[in-house]
Amino acid sequence: NAGVTQTPKFRVLKTGQSMTLLCAQDMNHEYMYWYRQDPGMGLRLIHYSVGEGTTAKGEVPDGYNVSRLKKQNFLLGLESAAPSQTSVYFCASRQLSGTGELFFGEGSRLTVL
Amino acid sequence: QQPVQSPQAVILREGEDAVINCSSSKALYSVHWYRQKHGEAPVFLMILLKGGEQKGHDKISASFNEKKQQSSLYLTASQLSYSGTYFCGTRLAGGTSYGKLTFGQGTILTVHP
């Protein structure tokens, strides 16, 4: 089982460039989330989705867009990257019911110069 | 609001015990605990639902005092493998949260031989 897979794992961008992070899960989970992790600040929720075709804003959504066209995929886009978006990005998913456990991907390290 | 974890860092010798605390200013439905090794994804340890229950996971246990909106993680007879950053994630009571968790800033635990 692959679980939650994120691509790419590393990326360096110049200010103003755009990119998309892909999250794919093979566990048929309904809920998916994008978090960013910065030193000393824990994990902060960017956007989330409660099902195919739905998305909603989290704590720190500015500068990001998301889409969930297929249940298994959740895409995070940066239209015009800024140095403040340098971070490690984690995707997570969970079942509709059950323990509420989040399954995380291995993370994507993004550097914006 | 982000829950507050204390202490920020703990250094132990193998076999020693530690307590990590997580405190919220809002009413909580549940508290989740995760451990993250350096360069890896966070891994689920346990979830505590309101009701003051205590859970155990090998030699790691936790409690949740819903009146005080506080949770504590207890690590007994620590092992080298316990080293990592521990995060609490809180889910607010009331309304529909869609499983969204707000994470604390993390506690770095280092266990030496």
Side-chain angles (χ1 to χ4, degrees), chain A residues 26-100:
Chain A
D26 61 2
M27 297 172 284
N28 202 35
H29 286 173
E30 290 292 334
Y31 296 165
M32 297 186 74
Y33 311 86
W34 275 107
Y35 285 91
R36 61 176 289 174
Q37 185 174 36
D38 303 291
M41 300 189 73
L43 295 144
R44 292 181 294 167
L45 182 64
I46 305 171
H47 285 282
Y48 65 100
S49 170
V50 300
E52 182 178 315
T54 71
T55 62
K57 294 180 180 180
E59 304 168 55
V60 288
D62 294 343
Y64 304 96
N65 56 75
V66 287
S67 65
R68 189 147 178 223
L69 300 179
K70 293 183 179 180
K71 185 178 182 178
Q72 63 268 33
N73 296 336
F74 195 28
L75 279 65
L76 178 71
L78 286 74
E79 289 186 348
S80 180
S84 60
Q85 294 178 304
T86 293
S87 186
V88 180
Y89 292 85
F90 284 98
C91 175
S93 70
R94 57 155 283 187
Q95 293 176 325
L96 184 62
S97 57
T99 63

Side-chain angles (χ1 to χ4, degrees), chain A residues 31 33 35 37 40-45 48 50 57-59 90 94 99-107, chain B residues 2 32 34 36 39-44 47 49 85 87 91 96-106:
Chain A
Y31 296 165
Y33 311 86
Y35 285 91
Q37 185 174 36
M41 300 189 73
L43 295 144
R44 292 181 294 167
L45 182 64
Y48 65 100
V50 300
K57 294 180 180 180
E59 304 168 55
F90 284 98
R94 57 155 283 187
T99 63
E101 174 182 356
L102 291 181
F103 293 81
F104 284 88
E106 293 187 348
Chain B
Q2 197 176 24
H32 302 223
Y34 288 79
Q36 184 180 30
E40 298 181 5
V43 174
F44 176 77
I47 177 175
L49 302 175
T85 302
F87 293 98
R91 180 176 167 183
T96 304
S97 68
Y98 298 111
K100 291 181 295 179
L101 295 182
T102 303
F103 287 92
Q105 79 278 18

